[in-house]
Each structure stands twice: as structure tokens, then as C-alpha cells.
Amino acid sequence: MRTIEWRDGTVITIDQMRLPHETVFLELKTCDDVTEAIKTMKIRGAPLLGAAAAFALALSAYHSKSERKEELIDELENAAENLKETRPTAVNLFWAIDRILDKVRGFSGSARDLALFVVEEAQRIADENAAANHLIGRFGSELIRDGDVILTHCNAGALATVEYGTALGVIRAAWEQGKRIKVVATETRPKLQGARLTAYELKRDGIPVTLITDSMVGYIMYKRLVSKVIVGADRIVQDAVINKIGTYAIAVLAKGHNIPFYVAAPKSTFDLAHTSAEIVIEERPSEEVMYVGSQRIAPEGANVLNPAFDVTPLKYVTAIICEDGILYKEDFVKFKANL
Ligand code: MRU
């Protein structure tokens, strides 16, 4: 099954906070259910946040009692406002909501027709993400050689998307082509997406994966135990890639060791109207750093910083892999100019 699906007025998705211990499917019936699942990170990963926000609007529209189109549009605008307050950094969430709202505002037809249109548009957003990930996998796999050891950070896999994954999509495609590769996954403190989700996905697919703590990256690069880095992105702006906290340190280390650093992301993650200075980096609760599971690991009252993402300037990025192909620096400059 896909990571997220629409089934007769319900959104089905997997609770990512319970993995890898339990596989629990959530049946989300209202837009508020989706909003809550995003806030609590049961749903996470930039492209999945986009699809989830789209399906959340679909739930609002589908179950709405409004008989007038204008009233339904108001309801959708309110739902969109709440959704936009969940997580500020991944642009896919805003992209999907604005795409639907733009089309809704220009829609001519009855309230019922509009509701069905929103469901179809959400489904299109999900289908397009799945298709984009397979293309990213196909293009990106051209960069992968037999014997490569690929380091990835956080989880940019099927779980972070509608299916297949971005960084893990590239790894999956190379593996499906018979390339004998190995993966090094960073645990990704504090929410442990690498340990819990990336290691889980790769193990399930039979792709060799070795888990390290975030602070081991420098040493294993120094020991030449990694040949490439591939990560996902939450937002690609004019001058930088914004991704899970820790990405920047990995990129600088990769450059220092002449290891290619690739970013795999669909175009719905591109936000080329903005620069990194304009982007809100999500700050998450201090408990995430103070505790591992239910165990407090620091003295009560300790000061904590918990930015969930960081900013990697483009000079550290070898290329960006998207559904149009591999964008090296010159291609990215042209790509920006053509927008
Ligand atoms: O806080 P998260 O788990 O939502 O962060 C996810 C990431 O940082 C991923 O690397 C990014 O969204 C790309 S997912 C294809």
C-alpha cells in the first residue's frame, strides 16, 4: 500500500511514531485529525506533508454540509489556515494547499461538484508525487556505481513520501538494477527518523544498512567508508537546501573529504521565490532533546535548543536530483532563470 491513501471519505496512513515496533494504520476522518497527526509527527516528511494537507482539504470538502459554493470555499480557507500552522519549514505543505485553493477560487460549478473536485485534485497531488519519486530514482541511479556506500540522513524514503521515496528512491532504483550497494543511515537525533524509519525501510527491502549515531559521520568519512551522500529536502530555495538538522554538518564534511553530496527532491519542494534568510526554521519542544523515549537524559531545567532543520548553502551541493533530471550548478541556475 501507499504511505497515504484516500478510501471512501477516509484517509488511511501509517502512524510513523509507532514504527518500527508496531505497524498501526490511522483512519483519519476529519481535517482536524490530519492536522493533529502532522503536529505529533505521526505524518512527516516533506512530500508526505504535501499529500496529507491535500487530503485534509479533501476531507473538509467531502464531509461538508455547505450547499453554497462560497460557503464551502470559506470552510476550505479556514481549514487551510489551521493546516498551515502545523509545521512551517517543509514547503510541500504550503504548495499543496495553495495549489488547491487557487483552483477552488476559480471553480465554476455547484458546491457538490467542487467537493468532488477537491478530492480528485488531492488524489492528483498524491499520484504526481509517486510518479516524481520513481523518476528521481531512475535519474539518480545513474550516479550510483556498483560497490558504492551511500550515507543518508533522516528518512527520505517511502514513509516520507506517497511511495518509493526520494533519497531512498535513488537507492532503491540502483538496488533494483542489481547494483551492489550499501547504505549508512544516521540515527538523526532527536526524533530518530534514521534509526526508526530508514533502517526499517531498508531492512524490509533487503538493502544492506548500517546505523551510526550522528556524531560518527566525520570519522567514517575520514576512514573512507562512504563514497556518496544522498539526502532529501524540505525546501530548496535560491541559495540553499533546507533539510533535517544535521544535514549541513554532513555536507561540509563531505566537501572536506571530496565525497559527492546529492539532494533528491521533487519540484514541489522547490521554493525559488525565496532565499534561506526568509525561511522559518521550525523550533520543536525541548523535551525532544531532554528525553530519549520516556527517559530524561539531562538535568531538569537545562537549557535546550531544538531547531528541526538547518540550511546547507548550494556550494556544498554537488547536484540536485529531481523528476526532470540531474541538476548540476549550471543547470540549477538555468532552471531558476526559466521559472
Ligand atoms: O521532521 P521530519 O521528519 O518531517 O523531516 C523530514 C526530513 O527532513 C526529510 O529529509 C525531508 O522531508 C525529505 S523527505 C523525502
Side-chain angles (χ1 to χ4, degrees):
M1 124 176 211
R2 286 183 168 185
T3 308
I4 194 159
E5 281 182 6
W6 175 268
R7 272 190 222 151
D8 305 326
T10 303
V11 171
I12 314 286
T13 189
I14 193 161
D15 182 344
Q16 301 201 26
M17 289 308 293
R18 308 274 279 268
L19 286 171
H21 309 295
E22 289 177 294
T23 308
V24 175
F25 291 97
L26 303 171
E27 290 186 17
L28 308 172
K29 297 192 188 320
T30 66
C31 182
D32 285 348
D33 290 348
V34 179
T35 305
E36 189 53 28
I38 292 175
K39 276 191 190 152
T40 50
M41 292 185 71
K42 293 177 181 129
I43 294 175
R44 39 68 52 199
L48 183 64
L49 290 172
F55 281 130
L57 292 180
L59 285 173
S60 271
Y62 188 83
H63 296 293
S64 169
K65 304 261 180 292
S66 301
E67 282 172 10
R68 286 179 46 249
K69 186 179 73 177
E70 292 67 26
E71 212 179 303
L72 177 55
I73 296 177
D74 280 350
E75 270 180 47
L76 289 170
E77 307 242 10
N78 287 337
E81 240 169 74
N82 290 336
L83 281 165
K84 283 185 175 183
E85 267 156 31
T86 52
R87 298 195 71 195
T89 309
V91 75
N92 306 61
L93 182 128
F94 301 89
W95 167 85
I97 292 171
D98 290 339
R99 168 167 156 173
I100 290 183
L101 287 185
D102 278 353
K103 294 194 176 179
V104 156
R105 289 180 193 124
F107 188 84
S108 52
S110 67
R112 201 59 220 148
D113 290 345
L114 177 56
L116 295 178
F117 171 78
V118 175
V119 176
E120 283 163 13
E121 189 63 13
Q123 189 60 54
R124 265 191 292 276
I125 286 174
D127 293 344
E128 285 172 24
N129 178 250
N133 297 337
H134 288 279
L135 284 169
I136 288 170
R138 209 174 75 205
F139 286 122
S141 64
E142 290 166 19
L143 299 164
I144 310 301
R145 302 275 158 273
D146 211 40
D148 269 344
V149 180
I150 303 163
L151 185 139
T152 189
H153 186 55
C154 193
N155 171 264
L159 289 165
T161 63
V162 173
E163 67 178 35
Y164 207 60
T166 57
L168 294 198
V170 172
I171 288 165
R172 280 199 167 98
W175 181 256
E176 285 159 11
Q177 291 159 10
K179 290 178 184 160
R180 282 160 299 174
I181 53 174
K182 291 181 178 157
V183 179
V184 172
T186 51
E187 64 170 352
T188 318
R189 275 279 286 153
K191 297 294 279 185
L192 304 174
Q193 292 93 330
R196 294 189 300 105
L197 308 176
T198 297
Y200 164 83
E201 275 195 38
L202 293 173
K203 264 200 111 251
R204 211 184 39 178
D205 282 9
I207 303 174
V209 55
T210 301
L211 186 64
I212 59 167
T213 66
D214 301 335
S215 49
M216 293 173 190
V217 174
Y219 179 67
I220 66 156
M221 286 188 177
Y222 164 79
K223 295 291 280 180
R224 311 299 313 164
L225 296 177
V226 172
S227 49
K228 285 179 179 114
V229 177
I230 311 179
V231 297
D234 284 83
R235 202 185 274 248
I236 297 176
V237 289
Q238 286 174 20
D239 56 329
V241 168
I242 297 169
N243 190 45
K244 178 54 56 196
I245 191 78
T247 302
Y248 174 46
I250 296 172
V252 174
L253 280 165
K255 199 171 184 70
H257 292 86
N258 282 320
I259 296 168
F261 180 93
Y262 298 109
V263 176
K267 286 187 288 178
S268 53
T269 302
F270 289 23
D271 174 18
L272 301 179
H274 292 110
T275 63
S276 51
E278 297 167 311
I279 305 308
V280 177
I281 299 290
E282 179 182 6
E283 283 281 341
R284 294 198 52 90
S286 60
E287 287 74 22
E288 291 181 356
V289 175
M290 289 285 280
Y291 286 78
V292 173
S294 55
Q295 180 69 49
R296 183 160 52 77
I297 54 162
E300 222 165 331
N303 290 332
V304 167
L305 270 181
N306 189 14
F309 302 95
D310 63 21
V311 177
T312 300
L314 286 182
K315 70 174 178 186
Y316 295 104
V317 178
T318 309
I320 294 168
I321 309 157
C322 73
E323 62 269 50
D324 286 1
I326 301 169
L327 306 176
Y328 289 94
K329 200 150 292 152
E330 327 69 79
D331 309 311
F332 189 66
V333 170
K334 266 193 236 150
F335 190 91
K336 276 195 291 190
N338 289 337
L339 273 181

